[in-house]
Amino acid sequence: MSKKVSGISQTIPLSIETKKSAKKKRNSNVWLGFILPALLLAVWTAATETGFIPSYQLPSPRNVIERIVRLVQDGSLWSHVGITFYRVGIGFFIGTVAAVLLGSIVGFYSKAEKIFDPIIQAFKSIPSLAWVPLFILWMGIGEASKISLIAVGVFFPVYLNIVSGILNVDRKLIEVGKVYGLGHFQLVKRIIFPASLPSFFTGLRSGLGLGWMFVVAAELMGASEGLGYLLVIGQYSSSPDIIIASILLFAIVGKLTDWFVKIIENKVLAWRDTSAIGG
């Protein structure tokens, strides 16, 4: 009994020490992520405050922050961010659902791949702005055309990663599953689906990033609200502080949504064995 207690007493400190080490490493990685933005901010401040770059070309960080504060004070910032987030969220959902359904069919059935994949690859090469006049013609300048454009942007990276994830599942694992008597549904549930999840999350993050890019083109279609609309207002009024503020807000909101998906990915794929060179 004493040996067992001794073993337990040795195990507990080790586990606590491991948790502390992991937490310390996470905090270190967070601080490392702030180094480059801080350097860019310092260079930006020095270049604009000293007059090296004229304010009509690039406003100082102080002027941009003041513009954002004014947008917060008059209440317009939240409506612009909210409507843009709504458009990206709905378009991301529709594009992801369509990509999952079609990508799963193409990944599982070789005949479906021969039928659908060539035309999807062709559509993938069409620039985003090329869809704008067509969607306006079909659906007008309302929310439907904007959300459809975002859904198109999200669809392709999610679809490609799902198909790639399914096709690249190790066939030896599938053969082992068949040896153990797993049926088709069980093979999908216990082998194919978990093995393709890393590619699926890669597609989700890529699709989300493209969703934030496509929303700019979408909000050029007669929008009266949104961060893309602020970019247009800044261009027409020759207000670079509005343009830079809109770009920064896009970067912040886009990073927060990607961070949220990354957290879900880490929890779902906690079993994944990753490696990196260096500390």
Side-chain angles (χ1 to χ4, degrees):
M1 178 63 70
S2 60
K3 290 183 179 180
K4 290 182 179 179
V5 172
S6 175
I8 293 173
S9 65
Q10 291 176 359
T11 302
I12 293 175
L14 283 174
S15 63
I16 294 174
E17 189 67 28
T18 302
K19 290 180 180 178
K20 288 182 178 180
S21 176
K23 184 177 180 181
K24 184 178 180 181
K25 186 176 181 180
R26 285 196 300 269
N27 293 335
S28 175
N29 291 336
V30 169
W31 284 111
L32 283 174
F34 281 103
I35 293 177
L36 187 56
L39 288 175
L40 291 175
L41 180 62
V43 172
W44 177 14
T45 302
T48 54
E49 294 290 352
T50 59
F52 181 76
I53 299 178
S55 60
Y56 66 85
Q57 290 183 340
L58 181 65
S60 68
R62 175 171 48 83
N63 292 336
V64 173
I65 293 173
E66 288 174 355
R67 171 62 69 174
I68 294 175
V69 170
R70 287 199 295 270
L71 290 172
V72 172
Q73 290 173 342
D74 64 24
S76 62
L77 177 65
W78 308 121
S79 62
H80 289 304
V81 172
I83 191 63
T84 297
F85 189 85
Y86 165 80
R87 288 164 180 157
V88 173
I90 299 298
F92 177 73
F93 176 78
I94 294 173
T96 299
V97 170
V100 168
L101 292 176
L102 189 56
S104 299
I105 294 172
V106 171
F108 282 118
Y109 303 104
S110 58
K111 289 184 178 179
E113 181 183 9
K114 292 179 175 65
I115 294 171
F116 292 107
D117 200 59
I119 192 169
I120 291 175
Q121 294 293 341
F123 280 146
K124 181 174 69 70
S125 303
I126 299 175
S128 60
L129 290 177
W131 295 101
V132 173
L134 183 63
F135 286 158
I136 291 177
L137 179 65
W138 285 352
M139 293 172 276
I141 59 174
E143 291 300 311
S145 58
K146 296 176 178 60
I147 291 172
S148 297
L149 181 62
I150 296 167
V152 167
V154 171
F155 172 84
F156 292 108
V158 179
Y159 165 84
L160 291 173
N161 278 277
I162 286 177
V163 173
S164 175
I166 294 173
L167 294 179
N168 289 327
V169 174
D170 192 342
R171 299 300 156 185
K172 294 179 182 178
L173 294 176
I174 297 177
E175 293 301 324
V176 170
K178 290 179 179 179
V179 168
Y180 280 92
L182 297 181
H184 185 74
F185 177 76
Q186 288 295 321
L187 282 173
V188 173
K189 178 182 177 182
R190 301 180 64 179
I191 295 179
I192 298 176
F193 177 71
S196 61
L197 273 178
S199 291
F200 171 65
F201 276 104
T202 299
L204 279 184
R205 296 180 68 189
S206 299
L208 184 60
L210 277 179
W212 285 106
M213 293 174 63
F214 270 59
V215 75
V216 177
E219 291 181 342
L220 295 177
M221 296 192 290
S224 59
E225 283 184 306
L227 295 178
Y229 171 74
L230 282 181
L231 287 172
V232 177
I233 293 297
Q235 178 188 356
Y236 289 156
S237 63
S238 299
S239 302
D241 55 337
I242 297 180
I243 296 175
I244 299 299
S246 302
I247 292 173
L248 287 178
L249 289 170
F250 267 120
I252 293 170
V253 178
K255 174 58 183 175
L256 288 176
T257 53
D258 178 76
W259 175 68
F260 178 73
V261 175
K262 180 65 175 177
I263 290 176
I264 297 175
E265 178 185 5
N266 289 337
K267 289 185 178 296
V268 173
L269 303 180
W271 49 267
R272 181 175 53 181
D273 184 20
T274 58
S275 62
I277 298 176

